[in-house]
Amino acid sequence: MPLQVRDYSWQQTRTAVFISVPLRGVCIRDADVFCAENYLKVNFAPFLFEVFLYAPIDDESSKAKIGDDTIVFTLHKKEAVMWETLSVSVDKKMMQKIREKSVLQAQEKAKEATEAKAAARREDQKYALNIMMKIEEEERKKIERIKENERIKATKELEAWKTHQRKAEEQKRIKREEKLHQQEKQIEEERKKLKHKSLTGNSTSRNIATKGRNSENIFSEKLKEDSIPAPRSIGSIKINFTPRAFPTALRESQVAEEEEWLHKQAAARRAMNTDIPELRDLKEEEKNPEWLKDKGNKLFATENYLAAINAYNLAIRLNNKIPLLYLNRAACHLKLKNLHKAIEDSSKALELLTPPVADNASARIKAHVRRGTAFCQLELYVEGLQDYEAALKIDPSNNVVQNDAEKIRNVIQGTELKSE
């Protein structure tokens, strides 16, 4: 049972009460202080100081100072009156009731303080979140303004470039028209000169004829004979036709297939798809599939395979009937290891390289070799060997294709031996 402390002292004013409680050599950390409106307790084992206050106090503004083995309380009264005593005399039942009430009040206040602190924390977080959202919104608007300004600037530059291009094209057109006009003028002047010369020659011949009739010059008959041409003699004109350009022997002639190939190539050159939005900003020469094919070939030679593919793509969109475009694009895909696309382009080229004639034999060999190479890199050696053998049927004397086909056969045989 704890020992009650009786040797405390207290003083008061109209607004405050001062209580001094000795600690009797107890460590400050071991002192437990509890204060409520009508109750004050200090527990420092084995001692206990407990007082049931005469009147209510403001426990929130009251203070306790611990030091020099003493606790000094400064309790602020709720009503500014002088107390008759520090504590009231109550029975044990009332003491227990006051204790419980004080504990409940302290718990309620602690709960309210915790809730108020949590609410304040939530408000602070909400305020900080709103500030961050405002900052992010400002940053987003700033970025959007920068993007919009850049877009407007780029649009203006593009419009200025288009205007410049249109002006340049207009100037070129005007220069061409002026040049044509000058050429027409020169041709007209030359025609006038020729007409004038012919008129002068006719008048001269008429004068000579008149003089011949009036004089008996011995040369008059000769002049008449020279002015009248002799009649043309009857004869025949021999016409030599250009021989056929195909080197095929007559016994192996494929005239129908060769004519079909020529007509097919002529139709492919005439087929043009000009309804493409990208063509509007291109020059006239850049709208030519042959020009784009040459451009792609130059880019391929510099190992810029992606740019070469872009050139071939646009050329194919302009004219999808030219087999060399697919054949060259397949070579680019092989370099970039786009093997499935290389197979597709090689197959499309072979589809367009029909009928098989001597004029397209070289292109067919390349298509088979490129497709076979793609199959081999996919480890589909049987399919690859089939393409190489098809190339050898076209040109059996091609040593490079023969050596590659032999290597593929060795790989296939080695794979079969391993599987056995």
Side-chain angles (χ1 to χ4, degrees):
M1 183 176 179
L3 301 176
Q4 293 286 339
V5 177
R6 304 292 183 187
D7 56 345
Y8 64 88
S9 61
W10 72 286
Q11 296 176 357
Q12 68 171 325
T13 63
R14 288 184 64 84
T15 58
V17 176
F18 304 97
I19 304 173
S20 178
V21 181
L23 290 178
R24 300 180 184 278
V26 178
C27 182
I28 295 173
R29 293 190 300 272
D30 298 332
D32 183 17
V33 179
F34 178 78
C35 181
E37 286 185 354
N38 299 97
Y39 180 69
L40 177 64
K41 181 182 75 170
V42 181
N43 184 10
F44 47 101
F47 301 102
L48 174 67
F49 172 72
E50 186 178 40
V51 59
F52 299 91
L53 299 173
Y54 180 80
I57 63 170
D58 187 0
D59 56 335
E60 292 183 357
S61 61
S62 299
K63 299 178 181 179
K65 184 177 180 182
I66 303 175
D68 297 331
D69 296 333
T70 305
I71 301 178
V72 179
F73 292 97
T74 302
L75 308 178
H76 296 280
K77 300 176 181 178
K78 285 193 173 182
E79 294 182 3
V81 294
M82 298 299 290
W83 291 358
E84 294 179 2
T85 61
L86 179 63
S87 63
V88 294
S89 297
V90 292
D91 56 8
K92 290 183 178 180
K93 187 175 181 181
M94 183 58 69
M95 287 181 182
Q96 185 64 27
K97 188 175 180 181
I98 292 172
R99 290 189 190 101
E100 292 176 355
K101 184 179 179 181
S102 298
V103 171
L104 289 174
Q105 287 178 350
Q107 290 177 350
E108 288 293 331
K109 287 183 179 180
K111 183 178 179 181
E112 290 175 359
T114 303
E115 291 178 353
K117 189 179 292 184
R121 188 182 300 110
R122 287 195 296 272
E123 288 296 325
D124 291 341
Q125 291 176 351
K126 186 177 179 181
Y127 176 76
L129 181 61
N130 289 333
I131 294 296
M132 289 298 296
M133 290 175 66
K134 288 180 180 179
I135 293 172
E136 290 178 356
E137 183 67 18
E138 290 295 328
E139 288 292 328
R140 186 183 64 79
K141 289 181 178 178
K142 183 179 178 181
I143 292 170
E144 287 181 355
R145 285 196 298 271
I146 293 172
K147 287 183 178 179
E148 183 65 19
N149 293 334
E150 290 295 328
R151 186 189 67 78
I152 293 171
K153 182 180 177 182
T155 304
K156 288 181 179 179
E157 291 178 353
L158 181 60
E159 290 296 328
W161 179 81
K162 287 183 178 179
T163 304
H164 177 72
Q165 290 294 112
R166 283 195 294 269
K167 288 181 179 179
E169 292 293 331
E170 185 66 20
Q171 289 177 357
K172 289 181 180 178
R173 185 183 63 79
I174 292 170
K175 287 181 179 179
R176 286 197 299 268
E177 289 179 355
E178 290 178 352
K179 188 175 180 181
L180 289 173
H181 181 68
Q182 289 177 358
Q183 290 177 353
E184 289 176 357
K185 191 174 180 180
Q186 289 178 358
I187 292 170
E188 187 64 28
E189 289 178 355
E190 290 178 357
R191 286 178 180 174
K192 287 180 180 180
K193 288 180 180 179
L194 291 172
K195 188 176 181 181
H196 179 70
K197 287 181 179 180
S198 63
L199 291 174
T200 305
N202 290 335
S203 62
T204 304
S205 63
R206 283 196 297 270
N207 291 333
I208 293 171
T210 304
K211 288 180 182 179
R213 284 194 299 270
N214 295 332
S215 64
E216 295 180 355
N217 196 326
I218 59 174
F219 300 105
S220 59
E221 294 297 329
K222 187 177 181 181
L223 289 172
K224 287 181 181 180
E225 291 177 1
D226 292 340
S227 62
I228 300 173
R232 292 180 180 177
S233 59
I234 299 173
S236 61
I237 299 173
K238 186 178 180 182
I239 299 173
N240 295 323
F241 293 96
T242 304
R244 291 174 66 251
F246 292 102
T248 312
L250 187 59
R251 63 181 179 277
E252 300 172 357
S253 177
Q254 295 178 322
V255 176
E257 289 83 354
E258 291 167 351
E259 292 296 332
E260 182 184 349
W261 170 251
L262 289 176
H263 288 302
K264 192 174 181 180
Q265 292 303 298
R269 284 192 291 271
R270 288 193 299 270
M272 280 285 289
N273 180 19
T274 57
D275 189 16
I276 300 175
E278 291 86 340
L279 292 178
R280 296 172 186 171
D281 298 331
L282 296 180
K283 298 179 182 178
E284 287 299 324
E285 61 181 11
E286 295 174 350
K287 299 177 184 179
N288 186 353
E290 292 295 332
W291 185 89
L292 289 169
K293 179 172 73 69
D294 295 338
K295 183 71 174 178
N297 295 344
K298 292 177 182 177
L299 292 169
F300 181 88
T302 60
E303 298 183 0
N304 192 352
Y305 305 121
L306 288 175
I309 288 174
N310 290 333
Y312 295 137
N313 288 342
L314 184 55
I316 289 170
R317 292 183 66 185
L318 285 168
N319 191 337
N320 59 359
K321 302 296 183 182
I322 301 176
L324 291 181
L325 296 175
Y326 294 96
L327 191 60
N328 294 354
R329 192 171 69 175
C332 295
H333 285 311
L334 269 180
K335 291 292 185 180
L336 295 174
K337 302 300 180 183
N338 300 330
L339 304 177
H340 292 285
K341 292 183 178 180
I343 292 170
E344 291 177 5
D345 282 347
S346 300
S347 301
K348 183 64 178 178
L350 286 170
E351 180 184 336
L352 293 173
L353 289 167
T354 54
V357 294
D359 195 39
N360 58 25
S362 176
R364 284 186 287 122
I365 291 172
K366 291 179 182 178
H368 281 297
V369 168
R370 287 170 188 173
R371 189 169 69 177
T373 303
F375 276 130
C376 290
Q377 291 185 12
L378 289 170
E379 297 184 0
L380 300 173
Y381 299 109
V382 176
E383 290 81 355
L385 181 59
Q386 290 174 357
D387 271 311
Y388 271 89
E389 288 177 345
L392 284 174
K393 287 181 181 179
I394 300 170
D395 185 9
S397 62
N398 193 319
N399 295 327
V400 176
V401 178
Q402 287 178 357
N403 295 334
D404 291 341
E406 188 63 29
K407 290 178 182 177
I408 297 170
R409 291 190 190 95
N410 294 335
V411 171
I412 293 171
Q413 292 173 359
T415 305
E416 292 176 352
L417 290 174
K418 287 180 180 178
S419 61
E420 291 175 358

